[in-house]
Amino acid sequence: MSRIFSGIQPSGELHIGNYLGAVKNWVELQRSFESFFCVVDYHAITVPYEPDDLRTRRREMVVSLLAAGLDPSRATVFVQSMVPEHTELAWIFNTVTPLGELERQTQFKDKASRQESVPAGLLNYPVLQAADILLYRADLVPVGEDQVQHLELSREVARRWNARFGDGFFPEPQAKLTPARRIMGLDGQSKMSKSMGNTVGMLEEPPAIWEKLRPAVTDPARVRRTDPGTPEVCNIYHLHKAFSPPDVVSHVETQCRTAGWGCIECKKVLFEHMNAELTPIRGRAAEIRAHPERVEQVVGDGAASARRVAGETLREVKDRMGLAQA
Ligand code: ATP
Ligand code: MG
């Protein structure tokens, strides 16, 4: 059976971009693949943060993942900093990763441009990501479109290590994308990101969601209520495609092109379908939060089974490289 691995940073609340681009797909894929899903807190410390916030966000991220439908009896759900093999393999991979490849990564350039002082960890982020994936020798990685470039680098790392130390040991992991591979922020300016403050939280209460949806950017051609629009250029239309049933989506399309609806009417219909999908998830999150000991148990068990696989890979890697075993 193919193995899948994917991760999410506890750098803020799980938003609908994460949900539609990645996590919803994880819930589906855990039925047919041996799956490892990780809250990647070592990645989240590559930008400024407060330790107490990190603790809270990590817990909340696990709650959100379970509420979205990750099932610990099917998938290994765990926290990166509880499995030290990740950072150990990352160091090893640093020695085979070309610096030039790291410097041209879009996410690095993007995040570095927003920081006064750039830590080396931000540059090396994709090396740790390659280690995350390859420790489990995963061949499929369900992610959003923004991670495609990092996965190319993971393949390069696997190829280089294999060429030097063991042909075919590491698979070359491929991205697995969803139709909602890139959800834009409600400002319409950039992709929805935890770090950009342009998100709708998966667990946000409906009134708060509506407060954000109401002023959200739509097709700029629709200045007046009577101006027809082009659905494909509108973020709200793309959210309809992810949340609303197909007959509603085609109605939305017609109503936009013919100015049958104003944007507010269109958003109200979206809001209704978002609520239908997100309300049960919010309910499950409340139930899970009421039992913190169960959440502890899930991440404890998850770390133990992740370490069994990760430890085996690392032992083999160190052996082939002439390193000493612990
Ligand atoms: P940060 O701003 O801290 O990088 P993020 O919102 O980009 O946070 P990540 O933890 O980096 O979230 O990514 C988790 C997963 O969600 C990845 O698979 C990523 O590709 C996916 N993802 C993130 N943003 C979007 C988006 N706007 N649309 C679709 N998928 C997304
Ligand atoms: Mg990101």
Side-chain angles (χ1 to χ4, degrees):
M1 183 160 55
S2 275
R3 271 209 190 130
I4 62 176
F5 173 93
S6 201
I8 185 161
Q9 300 186 73
S11 48
E13 61 178 359
L14 197 158
H15 55 74
I16 58 171
N18 301 137
Y19 173 68
L20 298 172
V23 176
K24 194 174 172 181
N25 205 16
W26 302 356
V27 173
E28 194 52 43
L29 295 168
Q30 69 180 342
R31 299 171 201 279
S32 21
F33 293 94
E34 191 186 347
S35 307
F36 293 84
F37 299 120
C38 187
V39 175
V40 289
D41 47 358
Y42 274 133
H43 284 279
I45 64 170
T46 56
V47 294
Y49 77 100
E50 287 301 324
D52 276 340
D53 290 343
L54 184 63
R55 271 184 272 273
T56 313
R57 286 169 173 176
R58 183 173 55 232
R59 221 174 12 246
E60 263 304 293
M61 188 54 78
V62 177
V63 169
S64 300
L65 293 176
L66 298 176
L70 287 194
D71 175 358
S73 71
R74 289 179 186 273
T76 302
V77 180
F78 67 106
V79 168
Q80 188 182 34
S81 60
M82 291 171 77
V83 182
E85 286 82 359
H86 287 248
T87 42
E88 209 174 334
L89 186 60
W91 174 259
I92 288 172
F93 282 167
N94 267 320
T95 66
V96 297
T97 307
L99 179 60
E101 292 290 318
L102 292 176
E103 284 168 338
R104 66 178 195 86
Q105 297 295 309
T106 309
Q107 179 178 293
F108 168 67
K109 289 192 276 192
D110 215 44
K111 291 194 172 175
S113 72
R114 288 189 256 140
Q115 288 194 45
E116 242 170 61
S117 157
V118 179
L122 195 59
L123 180 71
N124 290 329
Y125 184 114
V127 181
L128 178 57
Q129 186 170 334
D132 297 337
I133 298 163
L134 294 173
L135 260 185
Y136 303 95
R137 299 168 80 188
D139 30 34
L140 274 184
V141 187
V143 282
E145 191 177 67
D146 60 319
Q147 294 304 317
V148 166
Q149 195 187 25
H150 284 169
L151 275 170
E152 243 168 66
L153 186 74
S154 289
R155 288 195 289 277
E156 172 81 20
V157 168
R159 271 195 297 276
R160 285 183 179 241
W161 191 93
N162 284 347
R164 175 79 178 80
F165 300 109
D167 217 18
F169 180 70
F170 285 119
E172 290 185 26
Q174 307 292 329
K176 192 156 174 50
L177 301 172
T178 67
R181 58 193 59 186
R182 183 179 165 85
I183 299 294
M184 294 297 283
L186 293 185
D187 53 5
Q189 297 297 310
S190 51
K191 103 170 171 77
M192 188 176 283
S193 288
K194 294 189 227 92
S195 51
M196 293 293 282
N198 60 359
T199 61
V200 173
M202 181 188 74
L203 299 179
E204 248 178 284
E205 293 293 334
I209 294 184
W210 180 246
E211 278 314 297
K212 291 178 173 180
L213 215 49
R214 201 173 35 82
V217 171
T218 57
D219 177 359
R222 299 210 64 186
V223 181
R224 284 177 302 263
R225 163 74 180 72
T226 48
D227 293 332
T230 309
E232 290 76 14
V233 304
C234 180
N235 196 27
I236 298 298
Y237 172 67
H238 290 287
L239 289 173
H240 266 295
K241 285 208 288 191
F243 283 112
S244 305
D247 56 322
V248 174
V249 174
S250 51
H251 190 55
V252 164
E253 215 178 311
T254 314
Q255 295 301 79
C256 179
R257 283 194 214 288
T258 59
W261 279 348
C263 294
I264 284 287
E265 282 163 290
C266 182
K267 288 171 175 174
K268 279 186 184 155
V269 176
L270 171 65
F271 180 54
E272 190 187 307
H273 291 288
M274 280 177 72
N275 279 336
E277 182 151 350
L278 300 179
T279 301
I281 298 180
R282 225 170 31 248
R284 279 198 296 275
E287 282 165 29
I288 295 164
R289 276 196 207 99
H291 298 284
E293 72 292 346
R294 288 191 206 155
V295 177
E296 291 297 306
Q297 178 88 36
V298 166
V299 294
D301 292 351
S305 52
R307 283 202 82 174
R308 274 193 293 277
V309 180
E312 215 174 284
T313 306
L314 196 65
R315 260 190 305 282
E316 180 77 25
V317 164
K318 289 172 81 174
D319 187 51
R320 290 179 187 227
M321 295 178 76
L323 294 162
Q325 301 293 344

